[in-house]
Amino acid sequence: MILYITKKTKDRFNIPVYSELSDELKSLASNILSKEQDDIFKWGAKIFYFDRRKCLQIMNFASKVNIILVDIKVQDVDEISNMLANYLKIIYKDDLEAVELLDRYFKETPISFFDNLKDSSVIGSLNYNERYFLEDGYRLYDFIEDGILHTINLNKHFNFSHIVGKNSDGKKDYIVPGEEFKKMLSKRYGIR
């Protein structure tokens, strides 16, 4: 899995990207890069703030499924891909077929690394999500109950109750990201 990060995200979290890795790690990352060219393995990540806390939105290039991580510390950087995997499994937990597909997906891509995000379409989608869905972070207040921020509900809402635009074959389609991701996984792993 490749997590493509914005420059601001890289700077705020002090994340080493592909070009800054040691030769040994760069060799491993190069193998992942060549093997995982399909957009289903690519994720764009962008920092935003909520209540002065660093947060990340991580969006899949292919399906637009988006996971919001809240109050991420610099020391948490090595766990970001595990957090992403855990949230995906939690938001799909009631769909046993999707959980099986996610198990296959994560077996196929057990290692992750960071690289610079250069895809303007993905950057535009992340910016759009931050401004219009997350309302520059203020939307998270809607998911606070009894003083607790319910990030699972936030992530479920974004991925299953929110429609996003997706360009494919020169035309714009409107999709539900959570459904699109499952559909793509089903196609990849031969489950219909």
Side-chain angles (χ1 to χ4, degrees):
M1 179 183 340
I2 307 164
L3 298 165
Y4 292 92
I5 56 176
T6 63
K7 182 179 180 345
K8 187 175 178 183
T9 305
K10 177 192 179 324
D11 293 345
R12 294 290 192 276
F13 286 106
N14 195 27
I15 300 173
V17 293
Y18 176 74
S19 61
E20 301 168 348
L21 297 175
S22 67
D23 288 341
E24 183 178 308
L25 290 176
K26 195 180 278 189
S27 173
L28 178 63
S30 178
N31 290 337
I32 294 169
L33 264 176
S34 63
K35 181 182 155 204
E36 298 181 3
Q37 285 301 306
D38 190 343
D39 279 354
I40 201 165
F41 294 112
K42 297 177 183 178
W43 297 79
K46 183 176 189 284
I47 191 172
F48 71 97
Y49 292 89
F50 170 66
D51 198 27
R52 296 188 307 253
R53 289 174 171 82
K54 293 182 191 101
C55 305
L56 278 176
Q57 64 161 313
I58 306 173
M59 185 188 73
N60 183 261
F61 279 29
S63 67
K64 307 285 187 192
V65 75
N66 197 324
I67 297 298
I68 309 299
L69 303 177
V70 177
D71 198 16
I72 303 299
K73 309 280 192 269
V74 172
Q75 61 266 27
D76 298 332
V77 166
D78 292 338
E79 293 300 316
I80 289 173
S81 60
N82 289 333
M83 289 181 214
L84 172 65
N86 287 333
Y87 267 97
L88 285 168
K89 286 205 167 186
I90 290 169
I91 66 170
Y92 284 103
K93 74 177 181 171
D94 296 329
D95 183 340
L96 296 178
E97 183 180 299
V99 171
E100 180 185 333
L101 291 166
L102 286 168
D103 286 340
R104 290 182 181 188
Y105 177 77
F106 290 116
K107 278 183 187 167
E108 190 173 355
T109 181
I111 298 171
S112 65
F113 70 93
F114 297 95
D115 204 358
N116 293 311
L117 178 59
K118 297 175 185 167
D119 187 310
S120 59
S121 173
V122 174
I123 293 169
S125 292
L126 289 166
N127 288 338
Y128 182 88
N129 292 342
E130 182 178 350
R131 173 161 285 165
Y132 295 104
F133 178 77
L134 294 170
E135 298 171 359
D136 294 321
Y138 291 103
R139 181 73 181 275
L140 276 68
Y141 286 109
D142 295 345
F143 293 89
I144 294 176
E145 292 177 26
D146 299 323
I148 298 170
L149 176 59
H150 295 270
T151 55
I152 293 169
N153 293 342
L154 168 70
N155 283 297
K156 279 184 179 180
H157 181 73
F158 182 91
N159 290 298
F160 295 102
S161 302
H162 182 70
I163 296 172
V164 298
K166 178 183 172 189
N167 293 324
S168 61
D169 299 328
K171 62 181 181 176
K172 190 164 198 156
D173 293 325
Y174 292 92
I175 59 167
V176 176
E179 293 172 7
E180 184 73 6
F181 190 56
K182 181 184 174 188
K183 196 182 312 177
M184 291 178 155
L185 291 174
S186 294
K187 184 177 179 183
R188 181 169 188 85
Y189 299 111
I191 297 174
R192 304 267 180 244

